[in-house]
Amino acid sequence: MAEKTTLNVTGMSCGHCVKTIEDNVGKLDGVKSVQVNLEAGTVDVEFESGQIGTKQISDTIEDQGFDVA
């Protein structure tokens, strides 16, 4: 089942940060779409809840050096 979540992410400061998160989260199995809003400090993710959960998505973002609130 497709689910959507918005994560609050700190540490993003530029277009490279946006691309890093979109590329790394986007390649996870079960992730349908990723949209980073640099101004708001949010990451919107649409994913298949049967394949992946928010914890794995958050961990992937944190592995890139950002903090998920």
Side-chain angles (χ1 to χ4, degrees):
M1 184 166 119
E3 224 178 283
K4 289 184 179 180
T5 190
T6 300
L7 302 170
N8 294 309
V9 180
T10 58
M12 301 185 299
S13 60
C14 63
H16 179 73
C17 299
V18 172
K19 183 166 175 28
T20 297
I21 291 173
E22 288 180 347
D23 287 352
N24 284 282
V25 173
K27 70 182 178 190
L28 294 171
D29 286 340
V31 172
K32 293 171 153 273
S33 68
V34 184
Q35 187 167 10
V36 176
N37 184 327
L38 191 59
E39 305 262 320
T42 59
V43 178
D44 295 320
V45 185
E46 184 178 355
F47 61 98
E48 289 293 333
S49 56
Q51 290 183 289
I52 193 167
T54 54
K55 168 104 175 81
Q56 192 176 353
I57 294 167
S58 295
D59 287 350
T60 299
I61 293 171
E62 290 180 342
D63 287 346
Q64 305 311 311
F66 306 102
D67 290 316
V68 178

Coordinates of all heavy atoms in Angstrom, one line a residue:
M1 N 0.8 -1.2 0.0 CA 0.0 0.0 0.0 C 0.9 1.3 0.0 O 1.8 1.3 0.8 CB -0.9 0.0 1.3 CG -1.9 1.1 1.3 SD -3.1 0.8 2.6 CE -2.8 2.2 3.6
A2 N 0.6 2.2 -0.9 CA 1.4 3.4 -1.0 C 1.1 4.3 0.2 O -0.1 4.5 0.6 CB 1.1 4.1 -2.3
E3 N 2.1 4.9 0.8 CA 2.0 5.8 1.9 C 2.8 7.0 1.7 O 3.8 6.9 0.9 CB 2.6 5.0 3.2 CG 1.7 5.2 4.4 CD 2.4 4.4 5.6 OE1 2.2 3.1 5.6 OE2 3.0 5.0 6.4
K4 N 2.5 8.1 2.3 CA 3.3 9.3 2.1 C 3.6 9.8 3.5 O 2.9 9.7 4.5 CB 2.5 10.4 1.4 CG 2.3 10.2 0.0 CD 1.5 11.3 -0.7 CE 1.3 11.1 -2.2 NZ 0.7 12.1 -2.9
T5 N 4.9 10.3 3.6 CA 5.3 10.9 4.9 C 6.1 12.2 4.6 O 6.7 12.3 3.5 CB 6.1 9.9 5.7 OG1 6.3 10.5 7.0 CG2 7.4 9.6 5.1
T6 N 6.2 13.1 5.5 CA 7.0 14.3 5.4 C 8.0 14.2 6.6 O 7.5 14.2 7.8 CB 6.2 15.6 5.5 OG1 5.3 15.6 4.3 CG2 7.1 16.8 5.4
L7 N 9.3 14.2 6.3 CA 10.3 14.2 7.4 C 10.9 15.6 7.5 O 11.2 16.2 6.5 CB 11.4 13.2 7.0 CG 10.9 11.7 6.8 CD1 12.0 10.9 6.2 CD2 10.4 11.1 8.1
N8 N 11.1 16.0 8.7 CA 11.9 17.3 9.0 C 13.3 17.0 9.0 O 13.8 16.2 9.9 CB 11.4 17.9 10.3 CG 9.9 18.4 10.2 OD1 9.6 19.0 9.2 ND2 9.1 17.9 11.1
V9 N 14.1 17.6 8.2 CA 15.5 17.3 8.0 C 16.4 18.5 8.2 O 16.1 19.6 7.6 CB 15.8 16.6 6.7 CG1 17.3 16.3 6.5 CG2 15.0 15.4 6.5
T10 N 17.3 18.5 9.1 CA 18.2 19.6 9.3 C 19.6 19.3 8.8 O 20.0 18.1 8.6 CB 18.4 19.9 10.8 OG1 18.8 18.8 11.5 CG2 17.0 20.4 11.4
G11 N 20.3 20.4 8.4 CA 21.7 20.2 7.9 C 21.7 20.4 6.4 O 22.8 20.4 5.8
M12 N 20.6 20.5 5.7 CA 20.5 20.7 4.3 C 20.8 22.2 4.0 O 20.1 23.1 4.6 CB 19.2 20.3 3.7 CG 18.8 18.9 3.9 SD 17.3 18.4 3.0 CE 16.1 19.5 3.8
S13 N 21.7 22.5 3.1 CA 22.0 23.9 2.8 C 22.1 24.3 1.4 O 22.2 25.5 1.0 CB 23.3 24.3 3.5 OG 24.4 23.5 3.0
C14 N 22.1 23.3 0.5 CA 22.4 23.7 -0.9 C 21.8 22.6 -1.9 O 21.2 21.6 -1.4 CB 23.9 23.8 -1.2 SG 24.7 22.2 -0.9
G15 N 21.9 22.9 -3.1 CA 21.4 22.0 -4.2 C 22.0 20.6 -4.1 O 21.4 19.6 -4.4
H16 N 23.3 20.6 -3.7 CA 24.0 19.3 -3.6 C 23.4 18.4 -2.5 O 23.2 17.2 -2.7 CB 25.5 19.5 -3.3 CG 26.3 18.2 -3.2 ND1 26.5 17.4 -4.3 CD2 26.8 17.6 -2.1 CE1 27.2 16.4 -3.8 NE2 27.3 16.5 -2.5
C17 N 23.0 19.1 -1.4 CA 22.3 18.4 -0.3 C 21.0 17.7 -0.8 O 20.7 16.6 -0.6 CB 22.0 19.3 0.8 SG 23.4 20.1 1.6
V18 N 20.2 18.5 -1.6 CA 19.0 18.0 -2.2 C 19.2 16.8 -3.1 O 18.5 15.8 -2.9 CB 18.3 19.2 -2.9 CG1 17.1 18.7 -3.7 CG2 17.9 20.3 -2.0
K19 N 20.2 17.0 -4.0 CA 20.5 15.9 -4.9 C 20.9 14.6 -4.2 O 20.5 13.5 -4.5 CB 21.5 16.3 -5.9 CG 21.8 15.3 -7.0 CD 22.6 15.8 -8.1 CE 23.0 14.8 -9.1 NZ 22.2 13.6 -9.3
T20 N 21.8 14.8 -3.1 CA 22.3 13.6 -2.4 C 21.1 12.9 -1.7 O 21.0 11.6 -1.8 CB 23.2 14.1 -1.3 OG1 24.4 14.7 -1.9 CG2 23.7 13.0 -0.4
I21 N 20.2 13.6 -1.1 CA 19.1 12.9 -0.5 C 18.1 12.3 -1.5 O 17.7 11.1 -1.4 CB 18.3 13.9 0.4 CG1 19.1 14.3 1.7 CG2 16.9 13.3 0.9 CD1 18.6 15.4 2.5
E22 N 17.8 13.0 -2.5 CA 16.9 12.5 -3.6 C 17.5 11.3 -4.2 O 16.8 10.3 -4.5 CB 16.5 13.6 -4.6 CG 15.6 14.6 -4.0 CD 15.2 15.7 -5.0 OE1 15.8 15.8 -6.0 OE2 14.2 16.5 -4.7
D23 N 18.8 11.3 -4.5 CA 19.4 10.1 -5.2 C 19.4 8.9 -4.3 O 19.1 7.8 -4.7 CB 20.8 10.5 -5.7 CG 20.8 11.4 -6.9 OD1 19.8 11.7 -7.5 OD2 21.9 11.9 -7.2
N24 N 19.9 9.1 -3.1 CA 20.0 8.0 -2.1 C 18.7 7.4 -1.7 O 18.6 6.2 -1.6 CB 20.9 8.4 -1.0 CG 22.4 8.4 -1.4 OD1 23.0 7.4 -1.5 ND2 22.9 9.6 -1.6
V25 N 17.7 8.2 -1.3 CA 16.4 7.7 -0.9 C 15.7 7.2 -2.1 O 15.0 6.1 -2.0 CB 15.6 8.8 -0.2 CG1 14.2 8.3 0.1 CG2 16.3 9.2 1.1
G26 N 15.8 7.8 -3.3 CA 15.1 7.4 -4.5 C 15.5 6.0 -5.0 O 14.7 5.4 -5.6
K27 N 16.7 5.6 -4.6 CA 17.1 4.3 -5.1 C 16.7 3.1 -4.2 O 17.0 2.0 -4.5 CB 18.6 4.2 -5.4 CG 19.5 4.3 -4.2 CD 21.0 4.3 -4.7 CE 21.9 4.4 -3.5 NZ 23.3 4.7 -3.8
L28 N 16.1 3.4 -3.0 CA 15.7 2.4 -2.1 C 14.5 1.6 -2.7 O 13.6 2.2 -3.3 CB 15.3 3.0 -0.8 CG 16.4 3.7 0.1 CD1 15.8 4.4 1.3 CD2 17.4 2.6 0.6
D29 N 14.5 0.3 -2.5 CA 13.4 -0.5 -3.0 C 12.1 -0.1 -2.2 O 12.1 0.1 -1.0 CB 13.6 -2.0 -2.7 CG 14.7 -2.6 -3.6 OD1 14.9 -2.0 -4.7 OD2 15.2 -3.6 -3.3
G30 N 11.1 0.2 -3.0 CA 9.8 0.5 -2.4 C 9.5 2.0 -2.4 O 8.4 2.4 -2.1
V31 N 10.5 2.8 -2.6 CA 10.3 4.3 -2.7 C 9.8 4.7 -4.1 O 10.4 4.4 -5.1 CB 11.6 5.1 -2.3 CG1 11.4 6.6 -2.5 CG2 12.0 4.8 -0.9
K32 N 8.7 5.4 -4.1 CA 8.1 5.8 -5.4 C 8.5 7.2 -5.8 O 8.8 7.4 -6.9 CB 6.6 5.7 -5.3 CG 6.0 4.4 -5.1 CD 4.5 4.5 -4.8 CE 3.7 3.3 -5.3 NZ 3.3 3.3 -6.6
S33 N 8.6 8.1 -4.8 CA 9.0 9.5 -5.1 C 9.6 10.1 -3.9 O 9.3 9.8 -2.8 CB 7.9 10.3 -5.6 OG 6.9 10.5 -4.6
V34 N 10.5 11.0 -4.2 CA 11.2 11.8 -3.1 C 11.2 13.3 -3.6 O 11.6 13.6 -4.7 CB 12.7 11.4 -2.9 CG1 13.3 12.1 -1.7 CG2 12.8 9.9 -2.7
Q35 N 10.8 14.2 -2.7 CA 10.9 15.6 -3.0 C 11.4 16.3 -1.8 O 10.8 16.3 -0.7 CB 9.5 16.1 -3.4 CG 9.6 17.5 -3.9 CD 8.3 18.0 -4.6 OE1 7.3 17.3 -4.6 NE2 8.3 19.1 -5.3
V36 N 12.5 17.0 -2.0 CA 13.1 17.8 -0.9 C 12.7 19.3 -1.1 O 12.8 19.8 -2.2 CB 14.7 17.7 -1.0 CG1 15.3 18.5 0.1 CG2 15.1 16.2 -0.8
N37 N 12.3 19.9 0.0 CA 12.0 21.3 0.1 C 13.1 21.9 0.9 O 13.0 21.9 2.2 CB 10.6 21.6 0.6 CG 10.3 23.0 0.6 OD1 11.1 23.9 0.7 ND2 9.0 23.3 0.4
L38 N 14.1 22.5 0.3 CA 15.3 23.0 1.0 C 14.9 24.2 1.9 O 15.3 24.2 3.1 CB 16.3 23.5 0.0 CG 17.7 23.9 0.5 CD1 18.3 22.8 1.2 CD2 18.5 24.4 -0.7
E39 N 14.0 25.1 1.5 CA 13.5 26.2 2.2 C 12.8 25.8 3.5 O 13.1 26.3 4.6 CB 12.6 27.1 1.4 CG 13.1 27.5 0.1 CD 13.6 28.9 0.2 OE1 13.0 29.8 0.8 OE2 14.7 29.2 -0.4
A40 N 11.9 24.8 3.4 CA 11.2 24.3 4.6 C 11.9 23.3 5.4 O 11.5 23.1 6.6 CB 9.8 23.7 4.1
G41 N 13.0 22.7 4.9 CA 13.7 21.7 5.6 C 13.0 20.4 5.7 O 13.0 19.7 6.7
T42 N 12.2 20.1 4.7 CA 11.4 18.9 4.7 C 11.7 18.0 3.5 O 12.2 18.4 2.5 CB 9.9 19.2 4.6 OG1 9.6 19.9 3.5 CG2 9.5 20.0 5.9
V43 N 11.4 16.7 3.7 CA 11.6 15.7 2.6 C 10.3 14.9 2.6 O 9.9 14.3 3.5 CB 12.8 14.7 2.9 CG1 12.8 13.7 1.8 CG2 14.1 15.5 3.0
D44 N 9.6 15.0 1.4 CA 8.3 14.3 1.2 C 8.7 13.0 0.5 O 9.3 13.0 -0.5 CB 7.4 15.1 0.3 CG 6.9 16.4 1.0 OD1 6.6 16.3 2.3 OD2 6.8 17.4 0.4
V45 N 8.2 11.9 1.1 CA 8.5 10.6 0.5 C 7.2 9.8 0.3 O 6.4 9.7 1.2 CB 9.5 9.8 1.4 CG1 9.8 8.5 0.7 CG2 10.7 10.6 1.8
E46 N 7.0 9.3 -0.9 CA 5.9 8.3 -1.1 C 6.6 7.0 -1.3 O 7.5 6.8 -2.1 CB 5.2 8.7 -2.4 CG 4.0 7.8 -2.6 CD 3.2 8.2 -3.9 OE1 3.5 9.3 -4.5 OE2 2.2 7.5 -4.2
F47 N 6.0 6.0 -0.6 CA 6.7 4.7 -0.5 C 5.6 3.6 -0.4 O 4.5 3.8 0.1 CB 7.7 4.6 0.6 CG 7.2 4.8 2.0 CD1 6.9 3.8 2.8 CD2 6.9 6.1 2.4 CE1 6.4 4.0 4.1 CE2 6.4 6.3 3.7 CZ 6.1 5.2 4.5
E48 N 6.1 2.3 -0.7 CA 5.2 1.2 -0.5 C 5.5 0.6 0.9 O 6.6 0.1 1.2 CB 5.5 0.1 -1.5 CG 5.1 0.4 -2.9 CD 3.6 0.4 -3.1 OE1 2.8 -0.2 -2.3 OE2 3.1 1.2 -4.0
S49 N 4.5 0.8 1.8 CA 4.7 0.4 3.2 C 5.0 -1.1 3.4 O 5.6 -1.5 4.4 CB 3.6 0.8 4.1 OG 2.4 0.3 3.6
G50 N 4.6 -1.9 2.5 CA 4.9 -3.3 2.6 C 6.4 -3.7 2.3 O 6.9 -4.7 2.6
Q51 N 7.1 -2.7 1.6 CA 8.5 -3.0 1.2 C 9.5 -2.2 2.1 O 10.6 -2.7 2.2 CB 8.7 -2.5 -0.2 CG 8.0 -3.4 -1.2 CD 8.3 -3.0 -2.6 OE1 7.8 -2.0 -3.1 NE2 9.1 -3.8 -3.3
I52 N 9.1 -1.1 2.6 CA 10.1 -0.2 3.3 C 9.3 0.6 4.3 O 8.1 0.9 4.1 CB 10.9 0.7 2.3 CG1 12.1 1.4 3.0 CG2 9.9 1.7 1.6 CD1 13.0 2.0 2.0
G53 N 10.0 1.0 5.4 CA 9.4 1.9 6.4 C 10.1 3.2 6.6 O 11.2 3.4 6.1
T54 N 9.5 4.1 7.4 CA 10.1 5.4 7.6 C 11.4 5.3 8.3 O 12.3 6.1 8.1 CB 9.1 6.3 8.4 OG1 8.7 5.7 9.6 CG2 7.9 6.7 7.5
K55 N 11.6 4.3 9.1 CA 12.9 4.2 9.9 C 14.0 4.0 8.9 O 15.1 4.6 9.0 CB 12.8 3.0 10.8 CG 14.2 2.6 11.4 CD 14.3 3.0 12.9 CE 15.6 2.5 13.5 NZ 16.8 3.2 13.2
Q56 N 13.9 3.1 7.9 CA 14.9 2.8 6.9 C 15.2 4.1 6.1 O 16.3 4.4 5.7 CB 14.5 1.7 6.0 CG 15.7 1.2 5.2 CD 15.3 -0.1 4.3 OE1 14.3 -0.7 4.5 NE2 16.2 -0.5 3.5
I57 N 14.1 4.8 5.7 CA 14.3 6.1 5.0 C 15.0 7.1 5.8 O 16.0 7.7 5.3 CB 12.9 6.6 4.5 CG1 12.2 5.6 3.5 CG2 13.0 8.0 3.9 CD1 10.8 5.9 3.3
S58 N 14.6 7.2 7.1 CA 15.3 8.2 8.0 C 16.8 7.8 8.1 O 17.7 8.7 8.1 CB 14.7 8.2 9.3 OG 13.4 8.7 9.2
D59 N 17.1 6.5 8.3 CA 18.5 6.0 8.5 C 19.3 6.4 7.2 O 20.4 6.8 7.4 CB 18.5 4.5 8.7 CG 18.0 4.2 10.1 OD1 17.8 5.1 11.0 OD2 17.8 3.0 10.4
T60 N 18.7 6.2 6.1 CA 19.4 6.5 4.8 C 19.8 8.0 4.7 O 20.9 8.4 4.4 CB 18.6 6.1 3.6 OG1 18.3 4.7 3.7 CG2 19.3 6.4 2.3
I61 N 18.8 8.9 5.1 CA 19.1 10.3 5.1 C 20.2 10.6 6.2 O 21.1 11.4 5.9 CB 17.8 11.1 5.4 CG1 16.8 10.9 4.3 CG2 18.1 12.6 5.7 CD1 15.4 11.5 4.5
E62 N 20.1 10.0 7.3 CA 21.1 10.3 8.4 C 22.5 9.7 8.0 O 23.5 10.3 8.3 CB 20.7 9.7 9.7 CG 19.5 10.5 10.3 CD 19.0 10.0 11.6 OE1 19.2 8.9 12.0 OE2 18.3 10.8 12.3
D63 N 22.5 8.7 7.2 CA 23.8 8.1 6.7 C 24.5 9.1 5.8 O 25.7 9.0 5.6 CB 23.6 6.8 6.0 CG 23.3 5.6 6.9 OD1 23.5 5.8 8.1 OD2 22.8 4.6 6.4
Q64 N 23.8 10.0 5.2 CA 24.3 11.0 4.3 C 24.8 12.3 5.1 O 25.3 13.2 4.5 CB 23.3 11.5 3.3 CG 22.7 10.3 2.4 CD 23.7 9.4 1.9 OE1 24.7 9.8 1.3 NE2 23.5 8.1 2.1
G65 N 24.7 12.3 6.4 CA 25.2 13.3 7.2 C 24.2 14.4 7.7 O 24.5 15.4 8.2
F66 N 22.9 14.1 7.5 CA 21.8 15.0 7.9 C 21.1 14.5 9.1 O 21.2 13.3 9.4 CB 20.8 15.2 6.7 CG 21.5 15.6 5.4 CD1 21.7 14.7 4.4 CD2 21.9 16.9 5.2 CE1 22.3 15.1 3.2 CE2 22.6 17.3 4.1 CZ 22.8 16.4 3.1
D67 N 20.3 15.3 9.8 CA 19.6 14.9 10.9 C 18.1 14.9 10.6 O 17.6 15.9 10.1 CB 19.9 15.8 12.1 CG 21.3 15.6 12.7 OD1 21.7 14.5 12.8 OD2 21.9 16.7 12.9
V68 N 17.4 13.8 11.0 CA 16.0 13.7 10.8 C 15.4 14.0 12.2 O 15.7 13.3 13.2 CB 15.5 12.4 10.3 CG1 14.0 12.3 10.2 CG2 16.2 12.1 8.9
A69 N 14.5 15.0 12.3 CA 13.9 15.3 13.6 C 12.7 14.4 13.9 O 12.1 13.9 13.0 CB 13.4 16.8 13.5

